[in-house]
């Protein structure tokens, strides 16, 4: 549906170079990357507000690289929703319809229809200043969807809201996408958005798309350690050698339930690593003597960095355990984790 | 809510508050005292006499009309310029902004002389138009020259306050740049533009230096105040001045009232 061919853009400190991307009709595509990686610049180029230095943008086979934004038929939804403060909700939603010459009567019908579906019909005569975050998002989506654009471009639409609301809005977004069947291109820095919303995810690091995959696939098999780390995976280690059920990393033999010859990395969730003063018998296949290198607060838990030979791991423990074990720099402990806690890619 | 000047609730006096208030009062006094003294020193009889003087009323009409014409023409041409200044980055923009402020800086009599070289009888433009010296058009040009920076700067600030994302969102919804300008940018900046127009108009009305060089006749009110003071003395100049001040303040208040920002509650009532 949308094709980006060898897009290049140099802007200040960062560059997008030779970026290729192909979006399917009707899919929810999430472009995931840390802030400052050029995601917004990409959206600006696709929307037509910025020209690429090189490369082409095609939509349904047509070259639209130099088309003005109003001719592209892509509606942008911004992080702060960019509602028009001098217009009512109804006029906001009708804006795109009126701009395309739809008669005011038909526009009003479409507005009523759409706002009823989005549960904002009661807000039509209000000004946008007094809307809650959730209402604002729905108005912004209604406004973007009203003229039936070929594609929706969502620039971090969930970044400005608090955690509880974010989950609700995510749910809403998915429902709306399923309902409309419009192609969504959503850029975000939050892996949870990708996991929950995307049919396919592109991970953008350092001006390149490193990996494109379905979210399950992405989290199961990140293409490299940078991608894995960005996705929130911790204790990532390069595997020296591996065979069925076991591998060597950092000079230590580690049991990994899913290991085979093809794997190159393993990672272990910090909360799945147990720390103890004494070795103990259990079904867990991995147990090492280790030493505490350092520790720091990590929200409601403490992150304890331990080393065992060349192996370096981070474990998360509660304050209670931390005190009970008397952890300090240099404390000698045992770390234990199950072979099923070792993830491979 | 506490302020820098002290707890608003307890009104406790401190040296800080006292000294700042005293200094501030000095400035206010500088502005208010002469105006108040002027208005108070002129009697109603004097004023009605001035208001009945055909020369005076004609001069006031000319002054208001010339300044208004200058403001309207400059708004039509200056608002697009302000928009471009607020939206585009280009080489020499800083220099351009400085050039726009030049009329504020240079002495206005010098500005009048400079204008003469362009619109005077012997100038290129003057040879076509027959020169604008001594005409209402010439007066309007002189007023425009010295007062247009106020309009451009206010409109520029107004457009800067409109988030560019709103315009982009509108473009992506299918609106042409024209439509975006007239439905988003202009409606959101109109208060600043109007306030710039009022400033420009008021500045135009009060212009003396540049106007007197372009046209001693027909006589604008500031010129008339000067002429009557010179020829007949303070009392005769005073009533004309007061009349002009009263008219200007009245218009100023009315426009400010019309362009006041609605409060949040009023918007959603």
């Amino acid at each position: 549906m949308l094709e980006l061919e060898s897009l290049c853009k140099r802007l200040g400190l960062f560059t997008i170079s030779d970026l290729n991307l192909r979006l399917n009709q009707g899919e929810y595509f999430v472009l995931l990357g840390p802030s400052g990686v050029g995601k917004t610049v990409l959206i600006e180029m696709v929307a037509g507000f910025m020209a690429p230095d090189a490369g082409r943008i095609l939509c349904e086979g047509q070259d639209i690289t130099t088309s003005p934004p109003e001719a592209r038929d892509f509606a942008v939804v911004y992080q702060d929703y960019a509602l028009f403060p001098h217009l009512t909700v109804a006029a906001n939603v009708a804006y795109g319809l009126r701009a395309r010459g739809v008669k005011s009567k038909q526009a009003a019908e479409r507005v009523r229809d759409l706002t009823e579906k989005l549960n904002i019909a009661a807000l039509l005569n209000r000004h946008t200043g007094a809307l809650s975050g959730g209402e604002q998002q729905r108005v912004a989506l209604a406004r973007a969807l009203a003229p039936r654009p070929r594609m929706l471009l969502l620039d971090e639409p969930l970044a400005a809201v608090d955690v509880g609301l974010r989950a609700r809005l995510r749910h809403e977004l998915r429902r709306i996408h399923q309902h409309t069947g419009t192609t969504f291109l959503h850029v975000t820095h939050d892996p949870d958005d990708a996991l929950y919303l995307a049919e396919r995810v592109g991970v953008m690091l350092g001006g390149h798309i490193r990996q494109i995959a379905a979210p399950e696939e992405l989290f199961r098999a990140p293409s490299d350690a940078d991608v894995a780390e960005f996705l929130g995976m911790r204790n990532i280690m390069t595997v020296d050698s591996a065979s069925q059920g076991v591998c060597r990393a950092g000079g230590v033999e580690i049991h990994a339930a899913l290991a085979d010859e093809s794997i190159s990395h393993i990672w272990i969730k910090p909360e799945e690593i147990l720390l103890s003063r004494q070795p103990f018998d259990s079904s867990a296949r991995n147990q090492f003597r280790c030493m505490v290198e350092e520790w720091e607060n990590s929200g409601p838990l403490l992150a304890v960095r331990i080393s065992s030979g060349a192996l370096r791991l981070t474990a998360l423990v509660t304050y209670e355990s931390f005190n009970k074990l008397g952890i300090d720099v240099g404390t000698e402990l045992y770390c234990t984790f199950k072979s099923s806690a070792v993830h491979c890619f | 809510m506490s302020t820098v000047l002290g707890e608003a609730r307890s009104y406790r006096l401190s040296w800080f508050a006292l000294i700042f208030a005293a200094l501030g009062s000095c400035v206010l006094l500088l502005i208010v005292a002469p105006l108040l003294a002027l208005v108070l020193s002129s009697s109603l009889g004097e004023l009605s006499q001035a208001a009945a003087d055909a020369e005076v009323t004609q001069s006031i009409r000319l002054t208001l009309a010339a300044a208004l014409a200058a403001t309207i023409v400059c708004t039509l041409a200056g608002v697009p310029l302000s928009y471009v200044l607020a939206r585009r980055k280009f080489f020499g923009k800083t220099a351009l902004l400085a050039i726009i402020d030049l009329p504020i800086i240079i002495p206005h009599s010098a500005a009048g002389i400079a204008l003469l070289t362009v619109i005077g009888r012997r100038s290129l433009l003057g040879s076509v138009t027959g020169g604008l010296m001594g005409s209402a058009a010439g007066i309007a040009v002189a007023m425009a020259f010295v007062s247009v920076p106020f309009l451009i700067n206010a409109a520029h600030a107004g457009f800067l306050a409109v988030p560019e994302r709103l315009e982009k969102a509108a473009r992506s919804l299918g609106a042409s740049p024209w439509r975006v300008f007239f439905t988003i940018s202009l409606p959101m900046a109109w208060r600043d533009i109007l306030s710039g127009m009022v400033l420009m108009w008021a500045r135009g009305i009060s212009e003396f230096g540049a106007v007197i060089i372009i046209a001693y006749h027909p006589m604008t009110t500031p010129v008339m105040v000067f002429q009557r003071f010179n020829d007949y003395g303070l009392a005769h100049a005073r009533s004309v001045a007061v009349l002009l001040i009263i008219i200007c303040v009245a218009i100023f208040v009315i426009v400010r009232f019309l362009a006041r920002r609605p409060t949040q509650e009023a918007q959603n009532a």
Side-chain angles (χ1 to χ4, degrees), chain B:
Chain B
M1 195 171 59
S2 82
T3 64
V4 189
L5 291 174
E7 276 300 318
R9 221 175 308 162
S10 64
Y11 294 106
R12 261 186 39 226
L13 284 177
S14 64
W15 280 110
F16 180 81
L18 222 62
I19 290 171
F20 271 55
L23 290 173
S25 306
C26 290
V27 177
L28 285 177
L29 205 64
L30 176 69
I31 298 171
V32 174
L35 291 179
L36 209 62
L38 177 65
V39 173
L40 292 179
S41 65
S42 55
S43 68
L44 246 117
E46 252 177 46
L47 276 182
S48 58
Q49 208 178 2
D53 184 340
E55 246 181 68
V56 173
T57 51
Q58 202 187 346
S59 141
I60 288 177
R61 266 204 303 278
L62 168 73
T63 310
L64 298 184
L68 189 64
T71 304
I72 289 170
V73 171
C74 286
T75 302
L76 292 177
V79 166
L81 171 66
S82 314
Y83 184 70
V84 170
L85 287 171
R87 282 293 175 259
R88 297 266 183 275
K89 279 182 204 149
F90 51 85
F91 177 76
K93 184 167 154 182
T94 318
L96 191 57
L97 286 169
I99 288 171
I100 288 166
D101 280 340
L102 272 183
I104 299 177
I105 299 159
I106 59 173
H108 287 179
S109 49
I113 301 289
L115 278 170
L116 268 191
T117 61
V118 181
I119 62 169
R121 261 174 224 107
R122 291 200 203 106
S123 70
L124 188 66
L125 201 69
S127 60
V128 182
T129 59
L132 295 177
M133 284 182 72
S135 71
I139 291 170
V141 170
M143 287 175 168
F145 180 87
V146 296
S147 62
V148 76
F150 295 96
L151 171 80
I152 306 271
N153 289 337
H156 180 210
F159 285 126
L160 277 180
V162 178
E164 208 174 345
R165 272 186 322 285
L166 298 186
E167 295 174 356
K168 286 182 173 177
R171 288 288 296 279
S172 85
L173 290 167
S176 65
W178 288 100
R179 192 180 183 93
V180 172
F181 180 76
F182 284 111
T183 59
I184 306 292
S185 327
L186 200 57
M188 287 189 70
W190 76 269
R191 281 193 181 81
D192 292 284
I193 295 170
L194 187 68
S195 120
M197 288 174 76
V198 172
L199 271 179
M200 175 174 177
W201 183 65
R203 187 65 198 78
I205 290 170
S206 62
E207 181 53 26
F208 173 74
V211 168
I212 201 170
I213 285 173
I214 300 289
Y216 192 76
H217 287 287
M219 209 172 263
T220 67
T221 316
V223 176
M224 184 175 276
V225 170
F226 175 73
Q227 178 253 342
R228 294 216 165 172
F229 176 65
N230 257 356
D231 295 356
Y232 311 113
L234 184 61
H236 285 87
R238 194 167 55 201
S239 53
V240 179
V242 171
L243 206 58
L244 184 64
I245 289 171
I246 289 172
I247 291 169
C248 287
V249 169
I251 294 171
F252 191 68
V253 168
I254 290 168
V255 176
R256 272 293 170 101
F257 179 76
L258 292 177
R260 73 199 184 284
R261 280 177 204 281
T263 57
Q264 200 70 27
E265 300 91 82
Q267 259 189 30
N268 291 291

Side-chain angles (χ1 to χ4, degrees), chain A residues 109-345:
Chain A
E109 250 165 61
R110 169 90 175 127
V111 168
R112 204 172 332 111
D113 207 41
L114 201 57
T115 49
E116 265 163 29
K117 277 181 190 141
L118 287 165
N119 292 325
I120 46 170
L123 308 175
L124 283 180
N125 294 319
R126 285 227 234 147
H127 270 266
T128 59
L131 302 179
S132 72
E135 289 167 343
Q136 281 185 42
Q137 191 200 33
R138 273 180 273 174
V139 173
L141 283 168
R143 185 180 70 181
L145 289 166
R148 297 194 172 85
R150 294 194 281 194
M151 184 165 72
L152 233 60
L153 303 171
L154 301 122
D155 188 0
E156 297 267 12
L158 302 172
V161 295
D162 54 66
V163 181
L165 183 59
R166 198 178 306 158
R168 258 193 22 232
L169 296 184
R170 237 184 237 139
H171 183 74
E172 194 86 10
L173 266 179
R174 184 156 76 174
R175 192 176 70 88
I176 291 165
H177 174 255
Q178 283 164 353
H179 196 83
T180 57
T182 309
T183 312
F184 278 42
L185 173 57
H186 176 157
V187 306
T188 179
H189 67 279
D190 186 346
D192 287 346
D193 288 348
L195 195 57
Y196 189 83
L197 290 166
E199 286 162 45
R200 288 193 306 147
V201 185
V203 181
M204 196 166 170
L205 292 172
H208 294 277
I209 295 186
R210 292 279 190 95
Q211 186 175 9
I212 297 177
E216 315 82 64
E217 170 77 7
L218 182 71
F219 282 86
R220 194 172 54 72
S223 61
D224 55 59
D226 292 340
V227 171
E229 180 157 354
F230 178 67
L231 292 175
M233 299 174 184
R234 294 292 172 267
N235 295 323
I236 301 165
M237 286 166 278
T238 313
V239 169
D240 303 324
S241 65
S243 57
Q244 207 65 43
V246 65
C247 61
R248 282 192 78 79
V252 179
E253 189 160 282
I254 294 173
H255 293 274
L258 297 172
D260 60 32
E261 291 79 3
S262 69
I263 67 164
S264 56
H265 293 85
I266 56 169
W267 67 280
I268 306 159
K269 278 191 188 156
E271 52 272 43
E272 289 179 353
I273 298 173
L274 299 176
L275 298 179
S276 59
R277 275 286 187 182
Q278 300 296 331
F280 60 90
D281 283 335
S282 73
S283 65
R285 301 289 306 278
N286 298 295
Q287 191 160 70
F288 306 102
R289 204 176 153 76
C290 61
M291 203 174 80
V292 175
E293 297 272 325
E294 56 175 344
W295 55 268
E296 63 182 25
N297 292 331
S298 172
L301 298 170
L302 285 152
V304 181
R305 273 183 251 301
I306 51 176
S307 65
S308 178
L311 190 69
R312 276 184 165 60
L313 294 171
T314 301
L316 285 176
V317 299
T318 61
Y319 282 84
E320 207 183 334
S321 314
F322 183 83
N323 290 330
K324 209 165 135 197
L325 289 168
I327 290 173
D328 205 346
V329 175
T331 311
E332 299 222 332
L333 296 168
Y334 287 86
C335 70
T336 308
F337 47 93
K338 291 161 76 172
S339 72
S340 60
V342 183
H343 305 268
C344 309
F345 64 90

